Structures are given as C-alpha cells and as structure tokens.
Amino acid sequence: MKKFKNKYALIINLILVAGFLSVSLTSYFVSLNSLRKEIRENQLPLTSDNIYSEIQRDFLQPVYTSSLMAMDTFLRDWVISGEKNENKIVKYLKEIKIKYNTFTSFFVSDQTYRYYHTDGVLKKVSKENSRDKWYFRVQNMQNDYEINVDPDMANNDTMTIFVNYKVYDYNGEYIGATGVGLKVDAVKSIIERYQKDYGSRIYFTDSYGNIVLHGSNFKMEPGNIHEIEGLSKISNGILKNRDKTQKYKKNGEFIHVNSRYIPELKWHLVVEKSEGGAIKNIHKALYLNLAICTAIVIMIFIFMNILVSPYEKKLQEMATTDKLTGVYNRQAFDLVMLQTLKDAERNKSRFSIIIFDIDFFKETNDKYGHMAGDEVLKNVASTTKTFLRKSDVFSRWGGDEFILLLKDCGIGDASKLAENIRNEIKKNNTVWKNEYIFSTVSMGVAEYHLHEELDKAINRADKALYASKVRGRDRVEEEQLEENSEVQTEQEIVIT
C-alpha cells in the first residue's frame, strides 16, 4: 500500500511540475483579450447574478409576511365590522413589525381611506395627492401584490422598499391594502459586501438613468448616467436592455459594465469593473495560469476518478439506496425533497406526493414468512418503477410504506398515475415457492401548495392514505384540505 501511495504521489507531482513548466513557458503569450473576456464573461455576470439572487431571497420573507397579513381573519373582520377601536389595528401592526423584524407595517382601508401604521392613523389617502398614487395603483392592479420603492412618510421620508398586498373580504371584494416595508439600506449592505469581494463599482439607476442607490465612497457626478463622461455613450444600452455587458473608455482606461433590469424594484443594477493595473503582464500570466491549472486539476480528477469511482459509486449506492427494493432510502429522499422544495419556491412550480402501503402486509408475513414478504416488497417496487419518469423520485418510506415525489405534476395527473400503479400491482402477483401471493395497495395523493411547510403536504398525503384504508383499502384517495374536511376521531384506529 505504501509503495502504491508513493507511486501515486510521484505521478501527481510529475503532472504538477509539467503543468507549472507549461505555465512558465506560455505566460508570455497571455493577451489583453483574455483578461477582458474574463471580466466580461465571468466576473461581471457572476457579481450581478449573486446580487440579484440575494435581493430575490431577501424579498421572499416580506412578501410571505404581507400575504399572511392580507389573509388574516382579524384584519378582515376588523375592517368589515367598521374599523372600530383604532388601538386594535395599531397593536396588530406593531406586533407584525416586531415579530418579522420589518422597518414598518401598514394598512390602508378602502372604506375610509385611512392610512394606519404602528403609531396610529397617519393620514387619509387622496387621489389628488401625488404621494398617494401608489394606493390607487394597487387598488386597480391585476396582481395580488407589488414591490415598490417610495419614501416612508411615517419615518421621516426614509427611502423604503414596500410590499403592497391587496386585502379582500370573505366575498372576494377589495377592502384595502396592507404590507410591510424594508429600509433601502438593507440593499446597500449587499452592495458594500460585493464591492469589497469583487473589486467592482456597483449602483442602481431608475428607468430615467438617475442613480438612486449606491455604496459608500461613491464619487460620480452628475447623478444621471446620460451625463457622465464615457458612460453616456452606452447609457441607452443600459436602460433599454434587461441584461447586457458593454464597455466604455474614461481617462484612457477601459471600464467594463454589466447591467441587469430588476423588475421587483423597477431599477437597473449596474456593475462596473475597471481593467486598471490588470493589463500588466503579471496579471495576464495569472489568468493563463488559472486556465492551465484548471486543466491540470481536470487531468488529476480524471485519473483519480478511474481509481476511486468504482468504490465511490458503491459507497454512494449503499448510502442512498434501500438494499432490499433498490429504490431510494428515506435519508436520500429527504435530501431530494429539500432541493425540490427550493426549486418549487424559486420557479413557482408544483409537485405532488403519493404515499402508499401494502394492504394486510402483516398477514402476508405471518402466513408465508418474512422472506416471502421481502419478495412482495421487491415486486411492488419493481412494478411501480415501470410507471415513473426519470424526474420522479421513488423511496421506501418505512416498512411496507413507499412514497413518490412527482415533479411538475398536479394532483389530477398524480391520481391517474396512482390508479395505474394500483391496478398493475393488483394484477401482478408475487411468485413464492410455486404459490401466487395476491397483493393490493392503498394510496394517498396530495399536491404541494406554494410557500407551505413541506410536512403539511406529506401529512395531507398520509391522511389521504388513512382515508383509503378506512374506506375499504385497494383504492386511491386525494387530499382533503382542512377547511373542507371533517375529522372523524372515532375512526382513528390502527390499520395495517
């Protein structure tokens, strides 16, 4: 083993030496174009993507909070009952502000036009007041909410990012707008961090080119990109394109610019990267060295992969696969489920869950033995696999219980698939010692609802499975939402 390790280390060292020699010999051929390509195609887009991702992430919680407020029965009942006792709504808004750590929280009534916030009634909104146009825009918009940037009158006109959410009564009639606000400084902190990490200048402009937000040590006069030397030549390209990389020249130096439109803010994110001293030969060589070192790393990776991959594959299979049935185990399913949940939240996509188990499986074990029961489990798993897409996730949930995760699939299609699987399992008997073991399954189906906790969707599928047991087994039942279902506690017995 030691001899093998030494030989292995020698090979790696030889590859590294060869790589560094190649770097030294070829560094003379590094060109300015490679540097510019790196800035244009990697650094600027990466910085822009990261900032945009963080902005989107930071807005998920405020939007969720505002949606909770819009659906809150207290708020709706208080408005419907005539907006009596102003202290109640003020206390409610204060609790929202503290609990969710927002800069402000508010409610504007469509009945009285009163603007309520954490200190009481701020004013009455009016169509004649230009500062109240936002409310009447929200009143007539098609979407349930918007994200808007305005000065907050209740907080000394601090620039604030508002989430404005429409509120409806129980008959679907519009009764006002509610929501929360975040200080624009929260976005500034992101700018500061990325300016430091990437050595870039970062700022935001509105649709007219006015610079509305930037980090500290920002020296750029005047405050409109149409009037800035050099930048004015590409300003139209910044404002007319949703995502564009350009460059301009100032004081004899090229500055690369990546711009991206952020619809949540109705602003353009601009990231500038100066070539500066990077055009020197040492920096040119650095970029080429990185490329060559990357190639070397790939070579080492391929070499190690040839040696290690068979063992790695085996270990991975042991860690993620149920040994008996060959499907995912619960640990692996949990990891896939969390990633699917993130994708669904980000892309606003949907997925469904099917939970099923084998009817009277204990009696099968008692009658034929546990080895026969194992064959039944394998037969059910293999039969189910024949109906699944590559994107579907199939796992043994525990004992004789299985779970299916169906991406981009609504509850209707999921129920049809469940019926097909159930029918095929019923027809496909397990052969054990020249005997046929007849098996059926009971199945519960539920669809994930955006922004809900994952356990709730799984719990609904589990309840649907329980309902299929109560109603005679060998059937498929869909979820029953809590507001439409009646819990029959007298039927909650242990069913196998």
Side-chain angles (χ1 to χ4, degrees):
M1 180 63 71
K2 184 176 181 181
K3 183 178 180 180
F4 173 79
K5 287 184 177 178
N6 291 336
K7 184 178 180 180
Y8 191 67
L10 178 61
I11 293 173
I12 293 177
N13 287 332
L14 288 174
I15 294 174
L16 290 175
V17 169
F20 288 126
L21 285 174
S22 299
V23 169
S24 298
L25 293 173
T26 57
S27 60
Y28 298 101
F29 303 100
V30 177
S31 66
L32 179 61
N33 288 335
S34 65
L35 169 64
R36 290 173 175 171
K37 184 177 180 181
E38 174 68 20
I39 295 174
R40 182 175 63 252
E41 297 183 4
N42 293 320
Q43 290 188 10
L44 287 179
L46 177 62
T47 305
S48 180
D49 287 345
N50 286 337
I51 295 174
Y52 183 60
S53 296
E54 293 216 14
I55 289 173
Q56 284 187 315
R57 183 199 64 191
D58 290 342
F59 282 116
L60 287 178
Q61 181 61 42
V63 171
Y64 176 66
T65 301
S66 299
S67 69
L68 290 179
M69 295 171 67
M71 296 299 295
D72 197 310
T73 55
F74 162 76
L75 178 60
R76 292 188 287 177
D77 290 343
W78 182 81
V79 176
I80 293 170
S81 64
E83 302 179 30
K84 299 174 183 177
N85 195 343
E86 175 186 315
N87 292 331
K88 288 186 177 181
I89 190 66
V90 171
K91 182 180 179 181
Y92 170 77
L93 294 173
K94 284 182 179 178
E95 289 179 352
I96 291 291
K97 177 181 177 182
I98 294 171
K99 181 176 181 180
Y100 295 102
N101 193 30
T102 63
F103 180 60
T104 187
S105 58
F106 66 92
F107 172 73
V108 180
S109 169
D110 201 57
Q111 297 179 10
T112 63
Y113 286 164
R114 290 178 180 173
Y115 187 122
Y116 298 95
H117 71 110
T118 54
D119 293 327
V121 177
L122 179 65
K123 64 173 186 174
K124 280 191 174 183
V125 296
S126 169
K127 291 183 178 180
E128 286 72 33
N129 191 332
S130 61
R131 297 192 63 168
D132 297 334
K133 288 182 179 179
W134 70 268
Y135 174 75
F136 299 98
R137 180 181 66 250
V138 170
Q139 183 185 58
N140 296 311
M141 71 181 181
Q142 296 297 317
N143 297 327
D144 287 335
Y145 76 93
E146 69 166 8
I147 298 176
N148 192 45
V149 180
D150 273 319
D152 185 2
M153 183 181 294
N155 290 283
N156 299 318
D157 281 346
T158 301
M159 286 301 293
T160 305
I161 301 171
F162 287 98
V163 180
N164 303 318
Y165 221 108
K166 299 177 77 171
V167 183
Y168 299 93
D169 63 17
Y170 300 105
N171 295 318
E173 297 295 328
Y174 175 75
I175 58 174
T178 191
V180 296
L182 300 176
K183 291 180 69 174
V184 170
D185 289 344
V187 181
K188 277 191 175 182
S189 65
I190 299 175
I191 295 177
E192 297 285 355
R193 185 168 73 254
Y194 278 93
Q195 284 191 153
K196 181 179 179 181
D197 290 346
Y198 290 91
S200 302
R201 181 164 61 182
I202 301 166
Y203 53 94
F204 293 86
T205 76
D206 62 18
S207 58
Y208 301 102
N210 298 310
I211 298 172
V212 293
L213 187 62
H214 55 78
S216 60
N217 300 321
F218 185 86
K219 298 178 181 180
M220 184 176 282
E221 294 292 344
N224 189 293
I225 61 175
H226 289 303
E227 303 171 5
I228 296 173
E229 179 187 353
L231 188 60
S232 60
K233 295 181 179 180
I234 62 171
S235 58
N236 287 332
I238 292 174
L239 301 178
K240 292 181 180 180
N241 293 277
R242 287 186 169 269
D243 192 349
K244 190 175 181 64
T245 299
Q246 307 174 87
K247 65 179 179 181
Y248 70 93
K249 196 171 185 178
K250 184 177 181 180
N251 299 327
E253 179 183 347
F254 280 108
I255 299 174
H256 298 268
V257 180
N258 179 270
S259 59
R260 167 177 288 192
Y261 181 68
I262 302 180
E264 292 90 345
L265 301 176
K266 296 182 177 62
W267 288 350
H268 294 267
L269 166 64
V270 183
V271 181
E272 293 189 1
K273 179 73 175 180
S274 171
E275 290 181 358
I279 59 174
K280 295 179 180 179
N281 288 338
I282 187 171
H283 290 155
K284 296 177 184 178
L286 174 61
Y287 285 107
L288 184 58
N289 286 344
L290 289 175
I292 294 175
C293 288
T294 301
I296 294 172
V297 170
I298 293 173
M299 290 170 60
I300 296 173
F301 174 80
I302 294 173
F303 181 78
M304 294 181 63
N305 190 57
I306 294 173
L307 294 177
V308 178
S309 61
Y311 302 99
E312 184 181 14
K313 185 176 181 181
K314 185 66 176 178
L315 289 172
Q316 185 177 6
E317 185 177 322
M318 291 171 63
T320 60
T321 305
D322 177 63
K323 184 177 180 181
L324 178 64
T325 61
V327 302
Y328 278 129
N329 59 27
R330 186 160 183 170
Q331 180 181 1
F333 181 84
D334 289 341
L335 294 175
V336 176
M337 192 70 170
L338 287 175
Q339 185 59 49
T340 300
L341 181 63
K342 292 178 182 178
D343 292 342
E345 293 289 339
R346 181 174 59 253
N347 302 322
K348 293 182 172 53
S349 59
R350 57 182 181 173
F351 62 85
S352 295
I353 297 169
I354 300 174
I355 298 179
F356 67 93
D357 67 8
I358 302 170
D359 298 326
F360 304 109
F361 185 71
K362 184 178 182 301
E363 284 80 353
T364 299
N365 278 332
D366 292 342
K367 182 176 180 181
Y368 298 98
H370 287 280
M371 293 184 68
D374 288 348
E375 288 299 316
V376 171
L377 288 170
K378 288 192 285 186
N379 185 41
V380 168
S382 62
T383 301
T384 302
K385 286 179 184 177
T386 61
F387 290 87
L388 303 182
R389 305 167 298 176
K390 289 184 178 181
S391 61
D392 297 330
V393 182
F394 185 27
S395 171
R396 188 176 177 187
W397 196 238
D400 64 320
E401 195 170 37
F402 296 87
I403 188 167
L404 280 169
L405 172 63
L406 309 176
K407 300 178 183 179
D408 297 317
C409 182
I411 192 168
D413 291 335
S415 295
K416 292 177 183 178
L417 176 64
E419 279 290 353
N420 291 336
I421 294 173
R422 182 189 66 81
N423 287 326
E424 188 62 23
I425 290 173
K426 188 175 182 179
K427 292 187 295 184
N428 192 9
N429 296 331
T430 303
V431 180
W432 173 253
K433 293 183 178 180
N434 298 323
E435 290 189 63
Y436 290 96
I437 301 176
F438 176 77
S439 301
T440 62
V441 293
S442 298
M443 314 182 84
V445 186
E447 181 178 343
Y448 172 75
H449 301 152
L450 201 60
H451 303 315
E452 75 171 348
E453 294 178 2
L454 181 58
D455 287 343
K456 290 185 178 180
I458 294 176
N459 187 48
R460 291 199 305 277
D462 198 50
K463 286 183 178 180
L465 168 60
Y466 174 79
S468 69
K469 292 286 191 181
V470 171
R471 293 168 183 169
R473 298 182 176 86
D474 187 22
R475 61 187 291 125
V476 176
E477 289 290 339
E478 292 184 356
E479 65 180 350
Q480 295 294 321
L481 299 181
E482 291 181 4
E483 59 267 33
N484 297 325
S485 62
E486 297 181 0
V487 180
Q488 298 178 344
T489 56
E490 65 271 19
Q491 289 185 342
E492 294 189 0
I493 58 176
V494 176
I495 298 177
T496 60

